[in-house]
Amino acid sequence: MTTSRRSLFAGASALAAAGLLDHLPGRAARAAERAGTLKVALLGLDTSDPHRHTGSIAVQQVYVEGLTSIADDGRAIPYLAESWRIENEGRRYVFRIREGVRFHNGRVMTAEDVKANAERVRDRIGRGWLSAPMKLVTRLEAPDARSFVMEMSEPYGPLLNLLSELWIVAPESEGWGGTIRQPIGTGPFRFTRWVPNELFRGEAHDGYWQAGLPRAEAVEFVLRDMDDPSLALRAGDLHIARARFAALPELRADPNIEIQFMKDTTWYFWSFNNRRPRPPFDRVKVREAIAYAMDKPGLMRLIAGEAGVVTNQMAAPGQFYWDEAIHAADRHAAPDLDRARAILRAEGVEPARTPLRIVSWQTDYAQAAAQAMRSLGFQVEHIALDDLGAQRRLNQYDWDLAPFASGPRADIFLRFIRMLSDGPNVGLWGGPQDPAFDALVKRAVAATDLAQRRALYLDAWRHAMDRYWTVVIGHAAEAIANRREVTGWRPGFTWGANRVDGGLAFARIG
Amino acid sequence: MRLAAPVLRQLLTAAAIGVLVFVLMRVIPGDVVDVLGIEGDLSEQEQQALRAELGLDAGWWVQFLRWVGGTLRGDLGLSLRYNRPVAEMIGYALPHTLRLAALALGLGLALGIAAAAVAAARPHGIWPLLVQALNVWSIALPTFCVGLAAILVFSLWLGWLPVRGQLLMPVLVLGIDIAGQIAKPLHEELKEILATPFIRAARAKGLGPGAIVLGHVLPNAAGVLSSVSGLILAGLISGALTMEVLFGLPGLGSLAFQAIAGRDWTVLQSVVLLFALGVIVANLLADLAHRLADPRVR
Amino acid sequence: MPEAPLPTRHVAEAVAAPAASRASPWRRPLLLLALAGLFALVGPWIAPQDPLWQDLAARNLPPQPGAWLGTDNLGRDVLSRLLAGARITVLVAGGATALALAVGAGLGLAALAAGALPAALVFGLIDMIRALPSVLLGLALMVALGTGVGPVTIAIGLSFAPTFAVVARQAWLRERQAAYVEAAVASGTHPAVILRRHIAPNVAGALITQAAIILPRAVTTESVLSFLGLGVSPETPTWGRMIAAGLPFVERAPHAVLAPVVALSLLTLVLAVAGDHIRAAADPLRRGTG
């Protein structure tokens, strides 16, 4: 080494020793008191390939991030994209990529990486919720390191929200050409270890782009489907856990536990068979009679205690896409057995001679629904199955009533998609195939003006409601409980364990 | 050479089990793509593509040969559902099950042998009654019920949280069950042995009770133990599975249950094969121990 | 036809053995079993309430007059469900045991009669099946057959059939080699008579003994399966189902779990003790091998 380099080296060492280097971006977090391993039990993890996520999405968000993040009110806010412009009436999106975001292997993320990820989802994956918008993409460009351009054949309203689930993974990740085995993301924790159905461990990413985060050394998810994580929570074996509604009273009574709620809701409904309806349940009046027999307030109390709310729409009361007038006009807000029986008589239906087949999961509220039908006098056959069995049975379309539930989503479109003619997994909603409905939803999606989109969505919903495709019982926000020594943790809009403005990166123990 | 024949026979059994399991799995309706399809909202077309990708579209004969080839090479394949090496998943689960089984067996043997020995030594105390009680307990009360009762008692009334997820309860439940299975037959055998002439001769020779127990009594007892070992092992495996599911513990039982629910053949095949091999090995070991310990059998 | 003269005392003793097993020691435990079975079958008719009726306003009530064991999370009367569940448990366990006996012994004996090679094949297969944990086997069969009382009975029955085949074979071989049978053959007694008078009763005795051992296990297996969520439909009040449904609310309504657990334990206790008596009566000289 020459003298000047040696003295530079010596000077740098001195600076480092003096701790002054700690004030450079990225080093600050390392110097901060990062302590402890967060033990969390939310949902499971089904795949190590973030683009192939299949439903349960709670864990991935700690190691991968998207261009946008969902804020507490359901809007898309900047995440890996610092800002964006929407041009050409909603057909062209120009994203400004955030600077200085490092992958877990130290490399800086650029617009090229974002483009590679979008291409992978469009070309190599072809399934999941992103496949719908990807089909509309005509061009993906990265004109410079900080600009990413998406051009669509037609405007697509939900795009920004859905992009919150297009996670950016480094293309050098092992398995990029097939199924990613070791994802290298930008999230606050790395993908350290995964034992399927048992645990996931993520250790802190020292070069995380948000200064001072994460606050914990590591996070460990318990992936096993525990019947009751609240016991482990109360014993201190877990720091954060989903709380079943049934366990809420005991948790509230425990002074060491704090309960918070997700911002979006799980919605509960029963669907009729809309693909191949069996008489007499193909008649709207008969469906209306059945709706009069359901005790919505009683059912919501059974499901969620005091945490539930009765309504008749896919959006929860207070959300942007919910409508007060439609809610107030709900004829079935309280049961009316006499009216139900009168309608059935008028329709010439004799319940005692009419079989009614119910397909459901093994939940208490499905049993309550079955009893409601029995009280009308129907010959009820109740088939309660596990996830897989129920799905297969529903797809046979030889049933009459299906009481189910569905969880929080990044965008309301992901609820409407379940009633489209070519939608994915439509069995839970009876599989209607109605071009008029499809057209209404398509127009809503294409509307760039939010008020207009809302009006069109409501039109589509009224279309579905009038035909009694599916009847909403109500909504309940999922509860997440945490020990009081965990600070800085807030649940978000959906199950995602981390977001740009909250989540596990911000959580500190003690 | 004398052991070769039974070992060979057991190996053939293991191979045949492999075929049986493989066929059984395919008989169950629904496959992993159905499971993934539900969770991932896949269309029919996408499901077909996924099946091809996972190799499920080949005839099952082909799949079986692929699996056998891989297993013999030490490659247990990838989990159909999680795309993770099966060996890794089993490697995580196996030690947990082994620990539960070993601790339960250890406790059961210690408790059972101790109870039987003391009861034989002091025939007029409460110990023979204890042996009888243990016996009735293990016959009459299934470990499932005892486990549930333990959960109720310890989490509700004594407030020792949490009962599930800990090893103590399942080990106790299984251990006491095993102790009950061996205490009574062992006690009977010990009583007979203690009454035999050669024991009286050993006492007359001046051998201390410890030497008598070690040198004469226990070797004969080994015979009894190995004759019930088959039952014990079968019960231990079943019991460990049930305890794992009941108490929410990681292990082969939970792994197998998840694999059945998720139609994950590659995982299930290996797990079941492992179980069968385990039973076979344990039986062989018990047989071996019996031959070694009991001079009459040689 | 009178039996041929029996020259030795040893053979006379051996002959006496089957005769003894036909005597009264059988009757008491069998009577006990029959009573238990009858009570269980009658259960639903003496239940005070409809075991399926939900009352959402009366959920998780503690034991009180009118609901002597309280109500569960859907407001159903626990006592009535317990009694209704008894019937199903007894039906399923009894049916499964009978099926296991019929299939297992039938298959085993048929294989033995067919000759050495078929017997070797069949029993090799049976050995393999026995090496699998029965819970897993039951589970896999359940998933294949679906839910409902029929499929559960078949699944449990099939998973226990192998042990009956083995017992049948052991009994057959033992009897065939017994001294008194050799004596009868030597004295020229017709094979059919030997079969009917000597072998068949003892094989039947061994099978009934085994059935008495398997019955409580069938009860437990049914409970474990329905606890795991397989088995009969969710409204059907089997004890395993009641336990599974009640566990999430165990702090609020412990009675809803306690009742079925205690009932299950009592039933298996009674069955096991009765089975033990039967085993002792059938064969006071042999140790139980299960």
Side-chain angles (χ1 to χ4, degrees), chain C residues 9 16 20 22 36 57-58 77 80 89 122 136 209 241 279 286 290:
Chain C
R9 182 173 150 267
R22 283 185 229 121
D77 181 34
S80 307
T89 301
V122 168
L136 270 191
T209 306
R241 221 22 106 103
R279 193 186 346 179
R286 288 189 211 114

Side-chain angles (χ1 to χ4, degrees), chain A residues 270-402:
Chain A
W270 72 83
S271 304
F272 291 98
N273 183 347
N274 301 309
R275 185 67 64 93
R276 287 193 284 274
R278 315 190 310 169
F281 305 107
D282 51 346
R283 283 183 263 158
V284 170
K285 286 303 267 182
V286 174
R287 294 183 176 193
E288 189 188 334
I290 288 180
Y292 274 117
M294 293 290 193
D295 179 6
K296 289 212 227 176
L299 284 171
M300 278 319 292
R301 256 197 315 275
L302 174 66
I303 293 166
E306 298 312 314
V309 59
V310 173
T311 186
N312 58 353
Q313 300 166 57
M314 286 199 298
Q319 288 182 342
F320 178 68
Y321 290 106
W322 180 79
D323 186 73
E324 171 85 50
I326 296 180
H327 172 84
D330 184 7
R331 293 195 296 261
H332 306 292
D336 190 345
L337 268 178
D338 294 328
R339 184 106 181 251
R341 291 196 187 105
I343 295 180
L344 287 175
R345 269 195 306 270
E347 288 289 310
V349 172
E350 282 186 54
R353 295 228 215 121
T354 313
L356 192 160
R357 182 175 294 147
I358 301 180
V359 173
S360 76
W361 295 321
Q362 291 160 356
T363 53
D364 275 348
Y365 98 83
Q367 296 190 52
Q371 165 144 314
M373 293 300 96
R374 275 195 205 99
S375 65
L376 273 185
F378 283 106
Q379 300 296 310
V380 174
E381 182 196 354
H382 183 185
I383 303 173
L385 302 163
D386 63 327
D387 270 348
L388 177 58
Q391 185 59 45
R392 295 177 70 240
R393 195 58 205 258
L394 286 170
N395 286 342
Q396 288 173 24
Y397 292 109
D398 62 350
W399 48 272
D400 305 301
L401 193 73

Side-chain angles (χ1 to χ4, degrees), chain C residues 183-236:
Chain C
V185 168
S187 66
T189 318
H190 194 275
V193 172
I194 300 178
L195 203 70
R196 186 167 43 88
R197 191 170 293 171
H198 299 292
I199 298 182
N202 290 306
V203 172
L207 287 174
I208 292 180
T209 306
Q210 184 67 2
I213 295 168
I214 294 296
L215 195 57
R217 286 202 215 148
V219 169
T220 310
T221 308
E222 187 276 321
S223 298
V224 173
L225 285 179
S226 65
F227 174 82
L228 290 176
L230 303 161
V232 295
S233 69
E235 272 105 17
T236 327

Side-chain angles (χ1 to χ4, degrees), chain C residues 116-143:
Chain C
L117 184 61
L121 281 175
V122 168
F123 281 97
L125 192 71
I126 287 176
D127 268 345
M128 276 165 24
I129 298 179
R130 283 179 67 215
L132 299 174
S134 60
V135 175
L136 270 191
L137 197 59
L139 210 77
L141 283 169
M142 279 297 331
V143 172

Side-chain angles (χ1 to χ4, degrees), chain B residues 4 24 37 44 56 74 92-93 98 106 112 135 146 160 166 222 249 251 264 283:
Chain B
L24 194 69
E44 262 308 313
L56 289 175
Y92 179 84
L98 283 180
N135 188 41
V146 178
W160 297 348
Q166 308 286 3
L249 297 166
D264 200 341
N283 276 325

Side-chain angles (χ1 to χ4, degrees), chain A residues 135-149:
Chain A
K135 287 197 194 95
L136 301 172
V137 166
T138 54
R139 195 138 59 136
L140 295 166
E141 268 178 357
D144 59 72
R146 294 192 63 191
S147 300
F148 170 64
V149 179

